[in-house]
Amino acid sequence: MTDRSPTDYTIPPEELAPGLWRLPLPIHRHSLGGANAYLIRDADGFLLFDSGADVEECVAAMRAHLDSLGVPFDAIHTILLSHGHGDHAGQARRVAGLAGARIVCHAAEVRFVGYPNGSDDDRRDLVTWMQRQGYPREDITTLLETAATSERGDRRDILLHPDAQLAGGEVFAAGPYRFEALWIPGHTPGHLCLYDGRQRILLTGDHILEIVTPNVGLHPLLKENPLPGYLGSLRRLADAELDTVLPGHGPRIEDFRGRIHDIASRHADRREQALARLTPTPQTAYALAAQVWSRPGRRNWASLHPYLRRNAVGMLAAHLELLAEDHPEVKRVEDGGIVQYRLDR
């Protein structure tokens, strides 16, 4: 759900800190209008944090931005990905091919990027997960057909074959910066932020956004509920001393503590919405998500892309799991492999 108006992605590159530029990359069919890449200069050339989507307007913008800065593609030696969604990683292989650069991401992201098209086992795993959440057969079929095309309505996904896989905690020295790769699963299993405590800079990817609440929910590849860890990471980051907070979408975040509070509050509101719809009759996460997103508007249940429906179900299921843990009157019941939730009054 969008919190604020999409930003302008037609502006030229912005140097937001010494040797660090934001490259705004338009994606015409994206609900937020586009995504950001960040170019960081070092002694060997440049590191690129995220690459944008593999769509015509985004490809053209990347080339135009580099030309305007006088940076040839072959000056880029490393493409470090915050995560594998197509709007952040879709152009990585194209840029790497032009630059001769290496692609780096977290190890947990490699399988996620191609999921569920990497194997028949993955597709069966996704079907089982959807069935457990209460998906009707026709929605399962639609989602599988959409996944098979690697299209998400606004960008193409690509299979990643990174040159290096990270575990989290690695440090990238780039010019005056020493960026630590913070592994914070939640939005995706292998999501990374870049943090330099000395320079007081955080590149957030999709972990913290100014214009939208990041989606965090259950996913077939996540063995645990990522929401408690995600919310805990927000509390820890709120204690950090930061001057520059740069997200994967939209402009720099000026009041990052306020934004963290807003995101946590919106998740609390979503949990209350789920609680308000629980009844003594057990309901699945799918059925409850269809109710929560039932209001008329640009993003109601009927208009949601199948991929976004999966996001909505996963997010609501994560909140339902927390309700079942924290509220004695909320019961999680499983029957025939289907998980449901009820409220005992």
Side-chain angles (χ1 to χ4, degrees):
M1 271 310 172
T2 302
D3 296 336
R4 306 179 188 184
S5 299
T7 193
D8 182 6
Y9 290 95
T10 64
I11 61 176
E14 300 176 277
E15 189 171 14
L16 301 176
L20 192 162
W21 290 266
R22 170 182 173 249
L23 309 182
L25 300 170
I27 308 171
H28 292 161
R29 295 169 60 198
H30 196 289
S31 60
L32 301 179
N36 297 325
Y38 293 95
L39 189 68
I40 306 167
R41 182 169 52 206
D42 66 15
D44 299 318
F46 294 87
L47 179 150
L48 185 68
F49 185 60
D50 284 349
S51 67
D54 188 26
V55 293
E56 181 179 353
E57 64 272 15
C58 201
V59 171
M62 175 66 76
R63 185 177 294 277
H65 288 328
L66 295 178
D67 285 348
S68 73
L69 294 171
V71 175
F73 275 99
D74 62 9
I76 299 171
H77 56 74
T78 301
I79 302 168
L80 175 57
L81 299 175
S82 64
H83 62 297
H85 283 156
D87 52 342
H88 295 264
Q91 199 181 171
R93 288 198 312 202
R94 181 189 296 270
V95 174
L98 292 169
R102 64 175 186 150
I103 298 174
V104 180
C105 67
H106 193 276
E109 205 70 2
V110 177
R111 184 179 173 203
F112 169 80
V113 173
Y115 189 86
N117 297 322
S119 69
D120 290 339
D121 285 344
D122 278 353
R123 292 175 71 81
R124 285 190 291 267
D125 181 53
L126 176 59
V127 169
T128 299
W129 183 88
M130 289 190 289
Q131 290 171 337
R132 285 177 60 78
Q133 306 305 329
Y135 263 77
R137 182 182 300 275
E138 59 271 19
D139 274 30
I140 292 175
T141 300
T142 300
L143 181 56
L144 289 176
E145 290 173 348
T146 303
T149 67
S150 296
E151 294 277 353
R152 297 190 179 183
D154 51 26
R155 72 266 191 184
R156 288 185 292 275
D157 292 327
I158 51 94
L159 292 176
L160 267 184
H161 301 288
D163 301 286
Q165 300 180 29
L166 306 181
E170 295 86 352
V171 174
F172 291 82
Y177 309 107
R178 288 182 61 81
F179 283 113
E180 180 184 359
L182 301 180
W183 176 38
I184 312 179
H187 184 64
T188 68
H191 191 284
L192 294 171
C193 300
L194 290 185
Y195 172 62
D196 185 330
R198 186 170 58 89
Q199 298 289 343
R200 299 161 67 104
I201 292 178
L202 178 70
L203 278 66
T204 72
D206 275 2
H207 186 64
I208 303 170
L209 297 173
E210 180 71 38
I211 56 176
V212 75
T213 300
N215 183 275
V216 178
L218 300 189
H219 186 281
L221 292 183
L222 291 170
K223 298 188 182 304
E224 297 181 354
N225 185 350
L227 194 54
Y230 174 79
L231 295 174
S233 74
L234 292 182
R235 291 190 292 269
R236 291 190 296 275
L237 286 172
D239 293 331
E241 294 298 327
L242 294 170
D243 295 328
T244 306
V245 180
L246 305 176
H249 300 273
R252 63 188 293 167
I253 299 173
E254 300 294 344
D255 179 11
F256 82 96
R257 290 190 180 90
R259 185 58 190 150
I260 284 173
H261 178 269
D262 289 346
I263 291 171
S265 295
R266 286 183 68 84
H267 276 290
D269 290 345
R270 187 67 75 201
R271 193 150 54 251
E272 288 302 312
Q273 289 176 330
L275 180 60
R277 286 163 175 79
L278 289 174
T279 67
T281 301
Q283 301 177 82
T284 65
Y286 179 97
L288 289 161
Q291 296 173 46
V292 169
W293 277 272
S294 63
R295 292 183 301 174
R298 185 170 61 89
R299 278 200 171 183
N300 62 17
W301 190 253
S303 65
L304 284 182
H305 186 274
Y307 171 77
L308 294 179
R309 283 194 179 188
R310 189 183 75 178
N311 280 354
V313 171
M315 178 192 288
L316 206 67
H319 284 295
L320 289 164
E321 289 290 312
L322 288 185
L323 287 170
E325 292 176 11
D326 298 339
H327 293 261
E329 68 274 19
V330 176
K331 304 298 182 183
R332 180 187 189 274
V333 294
E334 187 168 345
D335 182 21
I338 297 175
V339 178
Q340 296 180 296
Y341 306 86
R342 72 169 191 263
L343 184 66
D344 287 350
R345 300 186 185 279

